[in-house]
Structures are given as C-alpha cells and as structure tokens.
Amino acid sequence: MDTTTFTDTQLQVKESVSKICSNFPDSYWAARDQDEMYPHELHAALAKDGWIGIALPEDLGGAGLGISEATMMLQTVSQSGAGIAGAQSIHANVYATQPVAKFATREQRERMLPRLISGEWKACFAVTEPNTGLETLKLRTRAVRDGDVYKISGQKIWISSAQVASKCILLARTTPLEEVKKPSEGLSLFFVDLDKEAPGLELRKIRKMGGKAVDANEVFFDDYCVPVNTLIGQEGQGFKIVLHGMNAERCLLAGEALGLGYAALEKAAKYARERIVFGRPIGQNQGIQHPLAMAYMNLEAAKLTTYNAARLYDASGVDSEVPMQSVGIACNSAKFLAAEAAFVACERAVLTLGGLGYAAEYHVERYLRECLVPRIAPVSREMIMNYIGEKALGLPKSY
C-alpha cells in the first residue's frame, strides 16, 4: 500500500497499532476462527494503550482524534491478519459511541464513556430488526415510559458482540409509527445495561459464515426495564442522532475492507513470487500477474476514496459549510468501492494459491469468507447505488 497521501498522525497510528497487532499472528486468528472465541486479548491490548477511545474526547480519556485516524486504526488491525473479525471486536466501540459523545449530556458522557475507553466495558449497537431490515424508519421495537423507567419490548438481529458486551446503544420506538407526523420522528436512542441475568432479555447466537471470533445475535426484549436517564438526546429524535454514527461506520468498515484486501493481496503476491512451475515463478505469467495488479489498483483507488470520505466527515464536525449530503455521498461511495475491491483481492488470492488457497492454514480462505461482510452490511450495495443515483445524480427515487 502506498502511504504518501497520509498525514503524519495517520502514519503514527498505523505504526503504533501495527506493533500491538504483531503480537497476534495468523495462528491466533486461525484459532479464533475455529473456536469462535472473542479476541479479548486484542481488545485489552488496544484499550491499554488508549486506542478504543481514539475518536472520543480527551477530557474523558480518549485521544481526541478523528474518524480519519480511527479508519487507519481499523484498517491496520484488519491488515495485520486479524481481518474483519479482529476489527469488528472494537468496531462498535468506536463508531456507535460517536452519537453519545455528541448528543449526551455532560453527566451522561462522564458516566457512559470512560469505562468503554478503558476497556472495562464493551458495547454493542442494536438497530437492525428482522422484519424491517434497511427500513430503519419502520422499526417496531418499543420503549414505553413507565415512571422512572422505559420498558423495552421487541427484537433486534445481527447484533455483534452482544454475548460479551455489558452495554448496548439501542434505537427503539417511543411513539407508535401510526402517530408520528414525520417518518423520521418517534425513534429514540438509549445507552443501556445489557444485563443477561435481568428479566426480559434473551440472546440467541447466530451461526455464520465468517468473522466467527465475534458473535452475532438475535436479541429479544420483553418489558426489559431501563432507567429514564439512559435516553440520549431528546425523545423522538433518535434517528437524526444515530445518523451521526452511520456515516462514521461506513468509513470504518471501508478501512476494514481495505485492510483485508491488502492482506490477501500481500499473501497472493508472495506466493506468486515463490511458487515455481515449469521452471519459472507463476507471478511471471500475465494470467497471474495482471489480475493481481488490477486488484492492487482497485484497492488504491478505494483507499483514496475512503480517506477523502473520512476527511469530509471530520471536517463536517467543525465546519458547518461542509454539506452533509456530500459527506453521505462520500462515505457511502467509500464503503461500496472498498468492499468491492476487497472482494476482488480476496477471491484472486484464493485463486492464485490454487488448492492451497482452499486450505485453512494459508488463511486466504478465511479472508474470502470475511470479505462478504462489508459487501452486505451495514447497507447493501444496491441501496448505496440507489442513494448515489438519487443524491449525486438527481435521479428519481427508485424505492
């Protein structure tokens, strides 16, 4: 990967995080893929040096850096061989806390964020529901106020890290859909305890294709009680609040995809240089060389798009003249292009290694399984193209 376009701060992040990740070799991640155990050791190591709070305020124990630097951190984690699984172990703790940092009261921030930053707590982010999918404005999980508590009832799905998280950033409906004046109203954001022993909460782990070190879950709420002071911002404004984290997530996931793609390409290129067939390295053959070169160019182009998006996102926080639509277009484009570039690189890595690429001990098959995540989540390729068609090209809304 060419690094000439990065700032000194981004390069320092890359160097420091690389040193931490060097203690977690391929064999560690292969074992976590097999035993499906959460990488607590990586989370602890990153928290120890303050990286969990990379984009959170310094006065709360964070580093006070931006999504540009956080994207570099997660790319570096992924590129180390940890892949999407390693990056996802800290992913929500970085992006889902952005709305809390921005919209919570001072008292709430001081109560909620320092122990996430220190690594004492882990958090998950609960938005997606089985019957609404990408129709976030039609979420059905209810939060009904009853005195000093809200009672949560409903179901969430694909909630990562819920088995190990002690906190949950939850989007729930406080006004019935039929009663809201605007579709974007009636949803509220909460920062709640995820107490597995409390009544009204049930978790079911989902078996999945890749990223097995980080659990994914169905979460069921049945009059699960949370204090009123867990509400972030104003009641009914949760969708607008949570949007602040969604663009950040697209940047971070783009970085994770890039890291995975570069890791796969590095292994493929090394094998192509060393594997001798018919008296010559297979990488000397254009049938091997050209697809790898194309994969590299795809990754480099996606990298430039990704870090431009992250720069715009950070700039929008301090410059009101940066149009939020431009930020949305950039962040969605970055997620799309990085995911596609990673997929091409991972597939080509498996094909370059041939039969060995199908063997777990060479790791690229794990990368291929994991690279499907950024193509699917948190928003599909097709919905991004719908968004770009409408917002960037001015075409009629197609859905």
Side-chain angles (χ1 to χ4, degrees), residues 29 37-44 46 52 74 77 82-94 122-123 160-161 164 213-215 256:
W29 295 108
M37 295 296 292
Y38 186 89
H40 291 284
E41 300 87 353
L42 175 71
H43 184 278
L46 290 168
I52 303 296
L74 287 170
V77 171
I84 298 296
Q88 293 279 301
S89 69
I90 58 170
H91 177 93
N93 295 275
V94 177
K122 298 180 180 72
S160 297
S161 300
V164 299
V214 176
D215 54 272
E256 294 165 28

Side-chain angles (χ1 to χ4, degrees), residues 21-212:
C21 291
S22 67
N23 296 313
F24 302 90
D26 287 338
S27 57
Y28 175 87
W29 295 108
R32 297 294 76 74
D33 186 62
Q34 290 294 315
D35 62 23
E36 301 186 15
M37 295 296 292
Y38 186 89
H40 291 284
E41 300 87 353
L42 175 71
H43 184 278
L46 290 168
K48 179 176 179 291
D49 287 352
W51 293 110
I52 303 296
I54 185 170
L56 292 172
E58 290 182 89
D59 61 347
L60 297 175
L65 298 176
I67 292 300
S68 297
E69 290 76 27
T71 300
M72 173 59 77
M73 176 183 74
L74 287 170
Q75 177 181 337
T76 302
V77 171
S78 179
Q79 195 167 340
S80 73
I84 298 296
Q88 293 279 301
S89 69
I90 58 170
H91 177 93
N93 295 275
V94 177
Y95 85 87
T97 52
Q98 293 299 302
V100 179
K102 184 174 178 65
F103 295 99
T105 66
R106 178 72 192 179
E107 182 276 329
Q108 285 178 318
R109 290 196 298 271
E110 291 177 347
R111 172 164 48 89
M112 295 171 176
L113 294 178
R115 283 191 275 185
L116 282 176
I117 293 170
S118 70
E120 180 183 347
W121 291 346
K122 298 180 180 72
C124 62
F125 190 43
V127 173
T128 305
E129 295 181 5
N131 296 318
T132 56
L134 292 172
E135 292 187 278
T136 305
L137 295 178
K138 294 185 179 179
L139 293 180
R140 292 286 178 180
T141 295
R142 289 296 313 277
V144 178
R145 184 158 181 176
D146 183 7
D148 293 333
V149 301
Y150 284 93
K151 292 183 176 180
I152 312 294
S153 296
Q155 180 184 356
K156 298 293 183 178
I157 196 169
W158 292 113
I159 310 307
S160 297
S161 300
Q163 298 285 343
V164 299
S166 56
K167 303 294 174 181
C168 177
I169 297 151
L170 170 72
L171 189 64
R173 181 164 297 284
T174 44
T175 303
L177 185 60
E178 300 77 16
E179 298 178 14
V180 297
K181 295 179 180 179
K182 297 179 181 179
S184 60
E185 296 177 349
L187 294 168
S188 299
L189 191 67
F190 300 87
F191 184 98
V192 305
D193 289 335
L194 205 64
D195 183 355
K196 283 85 169 179
E197 303 301 320
L201 179 66
E202 180 185 355
L203 273 60
R204 296 179 190 170
K205 189 174 178 180
I206 300 170
R207 294 188 65 191
K208 54 188 176 135
M209 178 180 182
K212 296 182 179 182

